[in-house]
Amino acid sequence: EALAERRPLVLVFEDLQWADDGLLDFVDHLVEWASGVPLLCVCTARPELLERRPGWGGGKRNATTISLSPLTETETTRLIAALLERSVLPAEVQSLLLARAGGNPLYAEEYVRMVQERGVDEAADLPESVQGIIAARLDGLAPAEKDVLQDAAVLGKVLWVGALSEIAGLARWTVEERLHALERKEFVRREQHSSVAGETEYAFRHILVRDVAYGQIPRSRRGDKHRAAAEWIESLGRSEEQSELLAHHYLEALEYAKATDQDTTGLAERGRLALRDAGHRAVELAAPAAAARFYAAALKLWPQEDPERSELVLRAAEANWWTKGGDLSAPALEARDGLLADGRTELAAEAELLLANIFWYQGDRSRSSGHLLAARKLVDDLAVSRTKAHVLSQVSRFHMLAAEFEPSIEIGREALEMAETLGLAADQAAALNNIGTSRVSNGDFGGIEDLERSIEIASGAKNVHEHGRGIINLAVVMVMLGELEKAYELERTAGDISRAAGEAVGIRFSDGNIIKSLYWRGEWDESVRVADSFIVDAEAGTVHYMSAQAYYHRAGIRLARGEAGALDDIERALELAEAAKDPQVVQPTRALAAHVFWTVGERERAGNMLESLASSQGKPGAGLPAGLCELAWLASDLGVEAQFLDVLDTGLPTPWIEAARSIAGGDPSRAAELFARIGARPEEALTRMRSGQPTEIEHALRFYRSVGASRYVHQCEQLLAATA
């Protein structure tokens, strides 16, 4: 974007069918997010790319797909003539060439190069495939040139003179001379800029040339060449930046050495260390999926009795959890026990924190709290340290989630000071997030600045989790303040950030939050679709923290539509909410349960639920506002408006509370207008229907018809008939 601000910029990505997922994610993110500057991305790929990225085939925002057909025979003939600088080939050669090429321009180009090297007569015997014609060209090279090209193939698409000199055991000038000859014959090209300082860089003109050259190397020699390549990379002195490439070469060397019964001494150790470092590097680059792969490969080579293994198990569990979610408690427990046995207290505390998060996201607050307490005990006696700052930031977070705002702020500030002293961006962002959310929930709107600063720090540090969490909590604040449209956009942004990084935990949490936004927007079918994905998992035994919300929103929609299952859904929501324990889950679940019970005629249970909310620690206004409107109408029906108004005295004036006060105070018209301003369409419709005014009921009826809420459509029609 910075380059494009200076002048229009075109970025070209060729042969993306060979790209790894990390590069594809980058291109996806770039096209989705770059805005406000003249930037064009041109990507070429074979159709098989669409099997991995079906969304790239059409319908993607800011993208156009152009499918290129094979060249016609006329076009192939023109291409060959232009490349050969002659218009006529022998008829029998041209006929066979057109048949073999099949409209593939690469085949035609390679044929022309073969003709230029051998002449038409010697090139008349055409191979069946592109790979065959490339192999024929390679076989025509001088042995010294072919050897250098094969050594270059070991390095990959890109190669350097110094590396080739190391692999081939030749002087640099000899390598440069042979590469120059290969460049003239259009096997490789010299790059204007090198990615390795002080080295001349070349690249294969086409990846197929590299693949064919590599395939011609005898298997018995490949291992030694990969080992030499790895040793050259190590000699650069920046192995942490090249750890992935280093791991690749050592693993290839190890596999070929095993396959050909050669000495593997040292290769397994070098390979596992390089894989571990590649995992660490991937974590730094916010690529948890890549980190998980590297750690898994390292563990296969890591000795069981090695004291470093437990830490590697922990890092692998962390990477897998962020990438896949689910229950990673078994490896986390294994890592914790091993680290405690080795006396590595700080790392054991990190394992306890991972366990606390795993169980919290599963909606099991009791087990989560036990591991959080264990983590804190392990760091209590430590001085200022990275682990202590991290543990304190998480303790602050769990206090915030439990609506214990004062201790959250106090401990969060302690963690923030420690993180700033040590330069820990992720923990600074986490602490500010907790402090800001707690301040706003306590009625101090200066906390919004803390949240915005948290998002800025996390974004700058490329910490995907804290970046997404900060945006989600800012969305929560926007919901509390009645800014539902802003909240919805923030939730979508958080989901996009997590998807771009492949962070499953963030994706799932963003999806869970968006259920309620879709409900409020009147997009009920989509709300149910997302809710169903959580419910299917929960019923299969994989409960998520957001499962209760999925159940209670589906219950509300089923109730409105007169469908079966609303009561079953709300019972399950209550069960999950009580296990999660956090007020932000418990309070809205109980509020909507009271509404469902009242509507289906279980009025005693509804009254008991209202009473439990009034007497519970924390008040409805202190949590998310879902169910607040329904509670206000229930209080009105039960004649306990005065007690309900007392419950609303939270010290946090929001449009939701003002609307609920208006309902309890007998002014539904004002409440409906407030809900309309907020963007809470179901609450607006319920309030207009309950107002008894024909024009208001008609307004509600239009909404209920649009979402298929047959129960309320029927009630509106009855009310209108009674007032006719």
Side-chain angles (χ1 to χ4, degrees):
E1 286 184 335
L3 287 170
E5 281 180 351
R6 288 154 51 186
R7 60 185 180 187
L9 178 66
V10 180
L11 300 175
V12 181
F13 299 87
E14 294 186 287
D15 292 319
L16 273 178
Q17 71 273 10
W18 283 305
D20 62 21
D21 286 333
L23 179 55
L24 295 180
D25 288 341
F26 166 73
V27 175
D28 219 354
H29 183 78
L30 180 66
V31 172
E32 185 73 22
W33 284 92
S35 61
V37 292
L39 174 62
L40 173 65
C41 294
V42 180
C43 306
T44 68
R46 292 185 61 79
E48 53 261 34
L49 175 66
L50 298 181
E51 296 174 9
R52 296 167 61 195
R53 299 289 166 124
W56 287 26
K60 189 171 180 60
R61 194 174 65 138
N62 296 335
T64 300
T65 302
I66 302 173
S67 297
L68 300 180
S69 302
L71 299 180
T72 64
E73 289 194 355
T74 300
E75 290 165 341
T76 303
T77 301
R78 287 170 54 198
L79 173 62
I80 293 167
L83 293 170
L84 278 174
E85 298 180 350
R86 57 188 286 184
S87 58
V88 179
L89 282 171
E92 66 278 7
V93 174
Q94 180 150 316
S95 176
L96 182 59
L97 171 59
L98 293 175
R100 294 277 169 86
N104 184 339
L106 179 60
Y107 188 100
E109 289 176 11
E110 291 298 319
Y111 168 76
V112 167
R113 288 172 183 144
M114 190 164 68
V115 167
Q116 291 167 339
E117 292 161 3
R118 303 183 180 184
V120 174
D121 292 339
E122 288 191 37
D125 187 14
L126 293 173
E128 293 281 349
S129 64
V130 175
Q131 288 88 342
I133 207 167
I134 292 170
R137 289 189 63 216
L138 293 178
D139 290 341
L141 290 172
E145 291 175 356
K146 186 174 181 179
D147 287 345
V148 166
L149 197 66
Q150 289 178 347
D151 290 341
V154 172
L155 292 167
K157 178 77 159 55
V158 179
L159 49 128
W160 302 270
V161 171
L164 275 180
S165 177
E166 181 77 21
I167 293 173
L170 298 172
R172 288 182 62 96
W173 69 267
T174 303
V175 171
E176 288 177 332
E177 187 177 70
R178 292 176 185 176
L179 283 173
H180 182 60
L182 291 166
E183 183 180 19
R184 287 201 313 271
K185 295 173 183 177
E186 298 189 273
F187 286 101
V188 297
R189 66 170 180 265
R190 187 175 183 274
E191 303 289 21
Q192 294 297 311
H193 304 284
S194 177
S195 56
V196 177
E199 283 292 342
T200 304
E201 182 172 301
Y202 284 79
F204 281 92
R205 282 192 168 271
H206 199 283
I207 193 69
L208 284 181
V209 176
R210 180 264 167 193
D211 290 347
V212 173
Y214 186 80
Q216 291 184 341
I217 304 172
R219 291 174 64 83
S220 59
R221 294 170 53 202
R222 291 181 190 177
D224 289 338
K225 293 180 183 295
H226 279 291
R227 184 202 293 259
E231 289 170 349
W232 178 80
I233 293 168
E234 285 182 320
S235 74
L236 298 175
R238 297 181 296 148
S239 58
E240 70 284 351
E241 295 180 16
Q242 303 291 344
S243 53
E244 182 176 350
L245 197 56
L246 195 61
H248 163 73
H249 285 298
Y250 274 130
L251 285 181
E252 289 294 302
L254 179 63
E255 291 305 313
Y256 283 116
K258 287 179 179 177
T260 54
D261 295 321
Q262 297 181 41
D263 181 21
T264 60
T265 305
L267 286 175
E269 181 177 2
R270 290 179 179 182
R272 64 183 170 86
L273 292 174
L275 284 164
R276 180 198 62 187
D277 293 344
H280 294 345
R281 180 69 171 162
V283 170
E284 291 175 5
L285 297 175
R293 290 196 303 273
F294 291 131
Y295 288 141
L299 281 169
K300 289 180 181 178
L301 298 176
W302 214 277
Q304 288 288 337
E305 67 281 0
D306 191 289
E308 299 294 323
R309 183 180 176 84
S310 294
E311 180 180 358
L312 189 60
V313 172
L314 171 61
R315 300 307 175 209
E318 288 173 336
N320 274 301
W321 188 63
W322 291 120
T323 305
K324 302 172 185 175
D327 189 356
L328 272 294
S329 57
L333 286 166
E334 177 193 340
R336 181 204 62 183
D337 293 344
L339 292 164
L340 286 173
D342 293 335
R344 305 180 73 182
T345 305
E346 290 197 57
L347 285 172
E350 292 185 31
E352 293 284 14
L353 272 186
L354 176 59
L355 287 160
N357 272 301
I358 288 170
F359 290 121
W360 183 82
Y361 277 96
Q362 290 177 9
D364 189 340
R365 186 58 187 264
S366 295
R367 294 177 76 182
S368 173
S369 297
H371 289 291
L372 183 68
L373 180 61
R376 185 161 191 186
K377 284 182 178 178
L378 287 170
V379 300
D380 269 347
D381 295 332
L382 296 177
V384 174
S385 75
R386 185 189 68 82
T387 300
K388 188 167 186 175
H390 185 50
V391 170
L392 289 177
S393 73
Q394 294 303 299
V395 171
S396 167
R397 168 175 163 244
F398 281 101
H399 277 301
M400 177 267 291
L401 292 166
E404 297 162 355
F405 302 125
E406 293 297 341
S408 174
I409 293 168
E410 181 183 349
I411 296 169
R413 285 176 174 157
E414 183 183 355
L416 178 60
E417 183 180 355
M418 200 175 294
E420 287 175 340
T421 300
L422 297 171
L424 305 173
D427 292 306
Q428 290 178 51
L432 284 164
N433 186 332
N434 307 329
I435 294 165
T437 306
S438 295
R439 285 178 67 190
V440 173
S441 300
N442 236 11
D444 178 1
F445 294 105
I448 293 175
E449 293 180 7
D450 291 326
L451 276 166
E452 290 172 341
R453 189 172 156 222
S454 167
I455 293 166
E456 181 182 354
I457 291 171
S459 175
K462 297 182 174 61
N463 188 294
V464 173
H465 177 65
E466 289 302 337
H467 190 191
R469 193 172 78 88
I471 292 173
I472 283 291
N473 279 357
L474 184 58
V476 170
V477 168
M478 291 300 107
V479 169
M480 292 167 64
L481 299 181
E483 300 281 356
L484 293 191
E485 190 59 33
K486 286 183 181 178
Y488 177 62
E489 291 303 319
L490 288 166
E491 288 162 355
R492 290 182 59 192
T493 298
D496 289 342
I497 289 169
S498 296
R499 283 183 175 84
E503 197 218 66
V505 171
I507 294 169
R508 206 65 179 137
F509 210 73
S510 298
D511 286 349
N513 273 280
I514 217 163
I515 293 170
K516 65 183 184 304
S517 289
L518 294 168
Y519 171 77
W520 278 323
R521 292 167 64 84
E523 298 176 28
W524 284 12
D525 289 343
E526 183 64 9
S527 181
V528 169
R529 186 192 67 78
V530 181
D532 281 347
S533 71
F534 283 84
I535 291 168
V536 166
D537 286 349
E539 292 178 355
T542 306
V543 174
H544 189 276
Y545 184 82
M546 306 300 287
S547 297
Q549 179 166 289
Y551 273 107
Y552 72 61
H553 274 298
R554 192 174 76 171
I557 292 172
R558 281 180 162 180
L559 182 76
R561 289 177 166 175
E563 296 173 352
L567 198 56
D568 290 338
D569 278 351
I570 206 66
E571 298 281 15
R572 181 64 171 142
L574 284 168
E575 178 186 343
L576 294 173
E578 298 305 327
K581 290 184 168 49
D582 289 336
Q584 65 175 1
V585 178
V586 173
Q587 290 175 355
T589 306
R590 288 180 178 177
L592 288 164
H595 172 66
V596 172
F597 293 150
W598 182 265
T599 305
V600 300
E602 295 194 16
R603 303 203 163 185
E604 184 177 351
R605 290 189 73 187
N608 292 339
M609 197 62 67
L610 178 61
E611 187 177 337
S612 73
L613 279 165
S615 60
S616 64
Q617 182 183 12
K619 299 174 181 179
L624 292 177
L628 203 53
C629 168
E630 290 85 350
L631 278 183
W633 282 111
L634 177 58
S636 178
D637 290 335
L638 291 171
V640 292
E641 297 93 335
Q643 296 93 314
F644 181 71
L645 288 169
D646 181 60
V647 169
L648 291 179
D649 186 16
T650 64
L652 180 63
T654 71
W656 298 93
I657 292 176
E658 289 306 306
R661 284 182 175 280
S662 296
I663 292 169
D667 190 356
S669 295
R670 180 171 180 270
E673 290 305 316
L674 284 166
F675 286 132
R677 205 176 308 158
I678 291 168
R681 298 182 69 195
E683 284 86 344
E684 177 193 354
L686 178 63
T687 301
R688 292 190 189 281
M689 180 180 73
R690 294 291 304 269
S691 72
Q693 301 298 316
T695 55
E696 299 279 50
I697 296 169
E698 287 172 356
H699 193 138
L701 181 58
R702 286 194 294 274
F703 171 76
Y704 286 134
R705 282 176 174 159
S706 73
V707 295
S710 57
R711 177 189 293 272
Y712 298 134
V713 167
H714 182 62
Q715 285 187 23
C716 286
E717 289 172 344
Q718 283 186 318
L719 289 168
L720 288 171
T723 59

